[in-house]
Amino acid sequence: MPESSVPNDPSLMEKIVNLSKRRGFVFPSAEIYGGFRSTYDYGPIGVQLLRNVKDAWWRAMVQMRDDVVGIDAAILSPPAIWEASGHLENFTDPLVDCRQCRERFREDQLVDPTTCPNCGGTGTFTEARQFNLMFKTHAGPVESDAAVAYLRPETAQGMFVNFSNVLQTSRKKPPFGIAQIGKSFRNEITPRNFIFRSREFEQMEMEYFIHPDADWLACHEEWLRWCQDWLQSIGLPASHLSLHEHPKEKLAFYSRRTVDIMFRYPFGVQELWGIAARSDYDLKQHQQHSGVPQVYFDEATKQKVVPHVIEPAVGVDRILLAILCAGYAEEDVTDDKGNVEKRTVLRLSPRIAPVKVAVLPLLKNKEALVARARELHAKLKRNYAVFYDEGGAIGRRYRRQDEIGTPWCVTIDFETIEKDGTFTLRERDSMQQRRLTEAELFQLLAEQVY
Amino acid sequence: MPESSVPNDPSLMEKIVNLSKRRGFVFPSAEIYGGFRSTYDYGPIGVQLLRNVKDAWWRAMVQMRDDVVGIDAAILSPPAIWEASGHLENFTDPLVDCRQCRERFREDQLVDPTTCPNCGGTGTFTEARQFNLMFKTHAGPVESDAAVAYLRPETAQGMFVNFSNVLQTSRKKPPFGIAQIGKSFRNEITPRNFIFRSREFEQMEMEYFIHPDADWLACHEEWLRWCQDWLQSIGLPASHLSLHEHPKEKLAFYSRRTVDIMFRYPFGVQELWGIAARSDYDLKQHQQHSGVPQVYFDEATKQKVVPHVIEPAVGVDRILLAILCAGYAEEDVTDDKGNVEKRTVLRLSPRIAPVKVAVLPLLKNKEALVARARELHAKLKRNYAVFYDEGGAIGRRYRRQDEIGTPWCVTIDFETIEKDGTFTLRERDSMQQRRLTEAELFQLLAEQVY
């Protein structure tokens, strides 16, 4: 039994940042140059976790569903898209400068809007001006207005501008969805909370197109349920999840409803996944700005209609952080000799765990043990991310795997090579051990890892 | 037998661009706004092909190898990295302006360096100036020099600046490699040839670190072989591949050897995969610029050493285009009634084909056929990208799958539901049909798709 899953530990974030660095989940970007403006790099273990989360989403969202197809649109995009979407005008934060110390602040985050938190000046702020959060660059050899390009601040517009192309090529009609996983960029004034809010992040978004007269509320509820179910399917506990309904009066005029799935992070309950009913706003905007009809032919009414849309949008990095926060635990455990030691364990679902199985020969100087371990390892890695480790005492090797969330360790011992060929299977959470055959191991993996 | 695999068809590129658009492989980016500066979006079928290529590479490069780990580094990066790497100074093209018509050209691509190809002016060019190919932007609320950020022009530097972090966290020592898949950006003056050279593209790079005294040439040869084998393992024919050894006198001073694997595209034999022996140049540059030692402890000599590196670097989009070019074929086929019609077929390896199996009920108005087809489809999609299609004559449905490279079609017919439960399996390339059981189908897939 875990002594503590440290849910309210104020130092939990610090522990997670440290573990991330120590075990290769997340490194500060360009660290040898002092880091770079709240960007992060995923290390060898982190990238496996990232891939597993994205693959699980893609499998559930695209592969398993007959009504959703994927795309992968470009990050560089022309102003025309963001003019139509409203981002050029409205995707802004209000900024003020202190005339005394020249520091710059987000006006809506100032505790005291008259006093500079940096130099203490009173009444030294300039009028607020709107600062656009899109990263701007220039494509082509001339830095003119005509060459301006933006890094997309969301993947969603990629689905809208490709709506007609997908409609024509995919043999789908509403209700159907277009899904995408990819990087987005927002020039946040105050990135914070590790990978929770950074300037470069990855999104998993899906636009689900429905007939204007369809029961949008039922569809919205269905996606809300789907998203919660999926989060639990990769191991996030229901106890950490809650819903936040955006008040009607705060919704944009075109928006019918937005509900956020919230996650209880160590720094507070924060938005994880937004599920929005966006009416036909986006397609109508693109229709108007591009002059290209954004319609489909409805067989029932024999009319061309602009569909409405339900949009579940989630950040991969936020999911990753939620997984680390929910999975992190410290326990006092007692060894064979009665010594109590602390173990750190990440309780990750086998589906998303970076390493599925660690293969450990009991002793590294016994050729037969090593040969059998290597043989098993070679067989497993054809289908799974596995790790071979022969270094150090077996208990220490278990601990190393616990820290990166490996659900199972398989030890090749003398019983394996001298008796019945069975291995010791050591389970991460219970730390219990039992013997099993190679066939049983493959069956266990086939059932638990998908 | 194929009538023609159109290898020297001058219109092959046009056919591939058309097929890509028509069947959802590749769309011009922001097409409803007239497209955007040679960027492209992958459609529903293209994104599946893209994922399969990347997954196959990751599996071979990271999952199957004990000596390579992955990372996923940020795209936004500080000038310090590119100063150390030399990109700020040297990653340039020479540009000239025509003083008469104001057009801008790459000097090294001018056929006649004295005459403007746009307005015909003679002697109207300015002196050439070096134009840096990196996309520049600003991070944070102030557009000052201190806020400058670049979109990485290659993923490689992400491996170099994380060398120490990976070394400390991954229990690896040279010889070992760090691999990455991710987007890179180059402000090409003249993007061309569809997705072959565009401003936004995806790379798969690996930096393999070896001891300074190791046999670098043997290691280089080994990776050269590995890359060629891998390309063939995903179905690219050896007949389209060749090698280009960079002449010694054209190598950078630090470079020991570079060999490119070339592919015979319809527009010429072009670079697909570069395999470079880069000595210890990159790590030494970062060591010097950051002041942080880029070394590992060599147990044999008990010394701290800066390793050398072998770098295989390939563009995903170029592989995709190679796959389409090599796989595209047009054939005259004769139907049951003796009519000759043309079929377009993409001969893709089952490993990378976007759809593995199409499940087709012979008739859509026979409930028992449809029910059995849907049941099989539901079972298959748990593990594979599959497609259910009940619309139109069976021959037409086969043709649709041929065009996107689906290796197998399974037809549920009256024999299936009234006799022995077997299906008709129709093979894409031979168009031959045979009957098989569900168990045989799953075995076929397990053997061919990995």
Side-chain angles (χ1 to χ4, degrees):
Chain A
M1 284 294 294
E3 186 212 24
S4 153
S5 61
V6 281
N8 296 311
D9 184 343
S11 63
L12 179 55
M13 272 307 289
E14 197 186 322
K15 287 173 176 171
I16 283 168
V17 172
N18 287 343
L19 178 76
S20 292
K21 173 79 195 293
R22 188 171 78 248
R23 298 311 312 275
F25 284 93
V26 181
F27 305 132
S29 211
E31 195 182 20
I32 60 172
Y33 293 104
F36 183 62
R37 296 176 171 266
S38 302
T39 51
Y40 295 92
D41 294 350
Y42 287 94
I45 300 297
V47 70
Q48 292 293 140
L49 181 55
L50 196 68
R51 288 176 62 85
N52 294 344
V53 168
K54 291 190 280 184
D55 284 351
W57 188 87
W58 191 267
R59 178 180 184 273
M61 183 60 92
V62 180
Q63 182 180 313
M64 292 287 288
R65 293 190 70 105
D66 303 339
D67 60 348
V68 177
V69 297
I71 63 163
D72 187 354
I75 289 169
L76 288 175
S77 41
I81 289 181
W82 309 110
E83 192 167 329
S85 71
H87 282 78
L88 265 178
E89 192 179 338
N90 302 319
F91 195 59
T92 57
D93 278 337
L95 287 193
V96 293
D97 292 314
C98 173
R99 277 185 290 253
Q100 190 163 292
C101 71
R102 309 254 165 226
E103 274 294 300
R104 189 162 280 186
F105 304 93
R106 258 183 72 173
E107 189 189 39
D108 56 339
Q109 289 181 341
L110 288 172
V111 179
D112 178 349
T114 59
T115 307
C116 175
N118 185 49
C119 71
T122 304
T124 55
F125 287 134
T126 58
E127 286 287 293
R129 61 183 188 84
Q130 294 303 316
F131 174 77
N132 198 293
L133 299 183
M134 289 196 292
F135 282 97
K136 186 176 167 178
T137 189
H138 293 86
V142 187
E143 283 204 10
S144 67
D145 283 354
V148 164
Y150 291 97
L151 307 194
R152 65 179 174 201
E154 60 173 38
T155 58
Q157 297 303 322
M159 281 76 107
F160 294 126
V161 297
N162 280 302
F163 170 73
S164 293
N165 270 336
V166 172
L167 199 67
Q168 283 157 30
T169 59
S170 71
R171 304 175 59 78
K172 303 288 179 204
K173 283 219 168 173
F176 86 105
I178 310 178
Q180 180 172 203
I181 300 176
K183 288 267 178 99
S184 292
F185 299 81
R186 294 179 186 179
N187 199 357
E188 301 278 356
I189 309 308
T190 47
R192 63 179 67 176
N193 291 324
F194 196 37
I195 55 174
F196 180 80
R197 187 188 303 280
S198 54
R199 294 199 171 104
E200 174 173 344
F201 58 105
E202 197 154 21
Q203 292 188 294
M204 305 194 290
E205 293 195 291
M206 194 275 296
E207 308 299 325
Y208 199 75
F209 300 97
I210 57 176
H211 191 280
D213 298 336
D215 185 346
W216 66 268
L217 189 57
C219 183
H220 187 267
E221 284 288 337
E222 213 172 283
W223 280 109
L224 192 52
R225 168 58 43 208
W226 189 95
C227 296
Q228 293 173 82
D229 287 349
W230 184 81
L231 289 171
Q232 292 181 52
S233 82
I234 60 162
L236 288 181
S239 60
H240 285 54
L241 302 173
S242 57
L243 298 181
H244 168 67
E245 173 108 29
H246 288 220
K248 286 263 182 303
E249 62 275 17
K250 292 209 168 175
L251 293 175
F253 71 91
Y254 54 80
S255 185
R256 294 180 156 182
R257 189 186 187 209
T258 298
V259 178
D260 292 339
I261 301 174
M262 312 292 283
F263 185 82
R264 180 156 56 83
Y265 289 98
F267 46 85
V269 173
Q270 296 280 348
E271 180 194 340
L272 179 59
W273 202 329
I275 295 93
R278 298 180 58 86
S279 74
D280 55 6
Y281 177 74
D282 303 274
L283 286 180
K284 282 227 169 120
Q285 285 292 106
H286 286 299
Q287 177 168 281
Q288 189 191 324
H289 282 75
S290 70
V292 181
Q294 300 298 311
V295 295
Y296 74 101
F297 184 76
D298 178 46
E299 292 291 347
T301 60
K302 306 288 177 201
Q303 286 182 320
K304 288 182 178 174
V305 290
V306 181
H308 284 225
V309 75
I310 307 291
E311 173 192 274
V314 68
V316 186
D317 314 82
R318 291 186 177 192
I319 292 179
L320 222 89
L321 184 56
I323 287 169
L324 295 177
C325 292
Y328 187 94
E330 293 171 0
E331 300 174 352
D332 285 340
V333 290
T334 310
D335 71 11
D336 297 343
K337 295 166 192 139
N339 300 319
V340 176
E341 62 161 22
K342 184 171 274 186
R343 82 159 180 152
T344 299
V345 57
L346 272 187
R347 303 181 192 283
L348 306 184
S349 155
R351 293 187 62 197
I352 54 161
V355 174
K356 307 304 181 190
V357 180
V359 181
L360 320 172
L362 184 63
L363 301 168
K364 76 168 167 184
N365 54 4
K366 294 287 173 191
E367 204 178 303
L369 293 176
V370 168
R372 181 68 187 96
R374 288 207 173 274
E375 183 196 354
L376 178 66
H377 177 247
K379 210 183 266 190
L380 285 166
K381 73 182 177 187
R382 291 180 56 86
N383 295 309
Y384 302 103
V386 290
F387 194 81
Y388 174 86
D389 188 2
E390 57 181 33
I394 197 79
R396 225 177 120 196
R397 282 182 270 168
Y398 287 155
R399 293 288 177 278
R400 286 202 286 259
Q401 296 302 319
D402 290 344
E403 278 199 335
I404 61 168
T406 307
W408 301 288
C409 290
V410 167
T411 303
I412 312 299
D413 49 31
F414 290 102
E415 252 182 277
T416 316
I417 54 169
E418 287 171 4
K419 277 177 66 181
D420 56 5
T422 61
F423 326 117
T424 298
L425 182 87
R426 186 264 195 181
E427 203 272 326
R428 179 194 62 208
D429 297 344
S430 66
M431 292 182 284
Q432 289 190 338
Q433 303 187 7
R434 64 187 170 96
R435 299 202 72 81
L436 89 176
T437 64
E438 185 176 305
E440 287 166 342
L441 175 62
F442 273 94
Q443 196 186 333
L444 176 73
L445 287 166
E447 283 167 9
Q448 303 272 327
V449 179
Y450 52 92
Chain B
M1 283 295 294
E3 186 212 23
S4 154
S5 60
V6 281
N8 296 311
D9 184 343
S11 63
L12 179 55
M13 273 307 289
E14 195 185 324
K15 287 173 176 172
I16 283 168
V17 172
N18 287 343
L19 178 76
S20 293
K21 172 79 195 292
R22 188 171 78 246
R23 298 311 312 275
F25 283 93
V26 182
F27 305 131
S29 211
E31 195 182 19
I32 60 173
Y33 293 104
F36 183 61
R37 295 176 171 267
S38 303
T39 52
Y40 295 92
D41 295 349
Y42 287 95
I45 299 298
V47 70
Q48 291 293 141
L49 181 55
L50 197 67
R51 288 176 62 85
N52 294 343
V53 169
K54 291 191 280 184
D55 284 351
W57 188 87
W58 191 267
R59 178 181 183 272
M61 182 61 91
V62 180
Q63 182 180 314
M64 292 287 287
R65 292 190 71 105
D66 303 340
D67 59 349
V68 177
V69 297
I71 63 164
D72 187 354
I75 289 168
L76 288 175
S77 41
I81 289 180
W82 310 110
E83 192 167 329
S85 72
H87 282 77
L88 266 178
E89 192 179 337
N90 302 318
F91 196 59
T92 57
D93 277 339
L95 287 193
V96 293
D97 291 315
C98 172
R99 277 186 290 255
Q100 187 164 294
C101 70
R102 309 256 165 221
E103 275 293 301
R104 189 163 281 187
F105 303 93
R106 261 182 71 171
E107 189 189 38
D108 56 339
Q109 289 181 342
L110 287 171
V111 179
D112 178 349
T114 59
T115 307
C116 175
N118 185 49
C119 70
T122 305
T124 56
F125 287 133
T126 59
E127 286 287 293
R129 62 184 187 84
Q130 294 302 318
F131 174 77
N132 198 292
L133 299 183
M134 289 195 293
F135 282 98
K136 185 177 168 180
T137 188
H138 293 86
V142 186
E143 283 204 9
S144 67
D145 283 354
V148 165
Y150 291 98
L151 307 193
R152 66 178 174 201
E154 61 174 36
T155 58
Q157 298 302 322
M159 280 77 107
F160 293 126
V161 297
N162 280 302
F163 170 72
S164 293
N165 271 335
V166 171
L167 199 67
Q168 282 157 31
T169 60
S170 71
R171 304 174 60 76
K172 302 290 180 203
K173 282 217 168 175
F176 86 105
I178 310 178
Q180 181 172 202
I181 301 177
K183 287 267 178 100
S184 292
F185 299 81
R186 295 179 185 177
N187 199 358
E188 300 279 356
I189 309 309
T190 46
R192 63 179 68 174
N193 291 325
F194 197 35
I195 55 174
F196 180 80
R197 186 187 303 281
S198 54
R199 295 200 171 103
E200 173 174 343
F201 58 105
E202 198 154 21
Q203 292 187 297
M204 307 193 289
E205 293 195 291
M206 195 276 296
E207 307 299 326
Y208 199 75
F209 300 97
I210 56 177
H211 190 280
D213 298 337
D215 185 346
W216 66 269
L217 189 57
C219 182
H220 187 266
E221 283 288 338
E222 213 172 283
W223 279 110
L224 191 54
R225 168 56 45 206
W226 188 96
C227 296
Q228 293 173 84
D229 287 348
W230 184 81
L231 288 171
Q232 291 180 53
S233 83
I234 60 162
L236 288 180
S239 59
H240 285 54
L241 302 173
S242 56
L243 297 181
H244 168 67
E245 173 109 28
H246 288 220
K248 286 263 182 300
E249 63 274 17
K250 292 210 170 175
L251 293 176
F253 71 91
Y254 55 80
S255 184
R256 291 179 157 182
R257 189 187 187 209
T258 297
V259 178
D260 292 339
I261 301 174
M262 312 294 282
F263 184 82
R264 180 156 56 85
Y265 290 99
F267 45 86
V269 173
Q270 296 280 348
E271 180 194 340
L272 179 58
W273 202 329
I275 294 93
R278 298 179 60 85
S279 74
D280 54 7
Y281 176 74
D282 302 274
L283 286 181
K284 282 226 168 124
Q285 285 291 106
H286 285 298
Q287 176 168 281
Q288 190 191 324
H289 281 74
S290 70
V292 180
Q294 300 299 311
V295 295
Y296 74 102
F297 184 76
D298 179 46
E299 291 291 346
T301 60
K302 305 289 177 198
Q303 287 182 319
K304 288 182 178 174
V305 291
V306 181
H308 284 224
V309 74
I310 306 291
E311 172 192 275
V314 67
V316 187
D317 313 83
R318 290 187 177 190
I319 292 178
L320 221 89
L321 185 56
I323 288 168
L324 295 177
C325 292
Y328 187 94
E330 293 172 1
E331 301 174 352
D332 285 339
V333 290
T334 311
D335 71 10
D336 299 342
K337 295 166 192 138
N339 300 318
V340 176
E341 60 162 22
K342 183 171 275 187
R343 83 159 178 152
T344 299
V345 57
L346 271 187
R347 303 180 192 284
L348 306 184
S349 156
R351 293 188 61 197
I352 55 161
V355 174
K356 308 304 181 190
V357 180
V359 180
L360 320 171
L362 184 63
L363 301 168
K364 75 169 167 184
N365 54 4
K366 293 288 172 190
E367 204 177 304
L369 293 176
V370 169
R372 181 69 187 96
R374 289 208 172 273
E375 183 197 352
L376 178 66
H377 178 247
K379 209 182 268 191
L380 286 167
K381 74 182 175 187
R382 293 180 55 85
N383 295 310
Y384 302 103
V386 291
F387 194 82
Y388 174 86
D389 188 2
E390 58 180 33
I394 198 78
R396 227 178 118 195
R397 282 182 270 169
Y398 287 155
R399 293 289 177 277
R400 286 202 286 260
Q401 296 304 319
D402 290 344
E403 277 199 336
I404 61 169
T406 306
W408 301 289
C409 290
V410 167
T411 302
I412 313 298
D413 49 31
F414 291 102
E415 251 182 277
T416 316
I417 53 169
E418 288 171 5
K419 276 177 68 182
D420 56 4
T422 60
F423 326 119
T424 298
L425 182 88
R426 186 263 195 183
E427 203 272 327
R428 178 195 62 207
D429 296 346
S430 66
M431 292 182 284
Q432 288 190 340
Q433 304 187 6
R434 62 187 171 98
R435 298 201 72 82
L436 90 175
T437 65
E438 186 176 305
E440 288 165 342
L441 176 61
F442 272 93
Q443 195 186 335
L444 176 73
L445 288 166
E447 285 168 9
Q448 303 272 327
V449 180
Y450 53 91

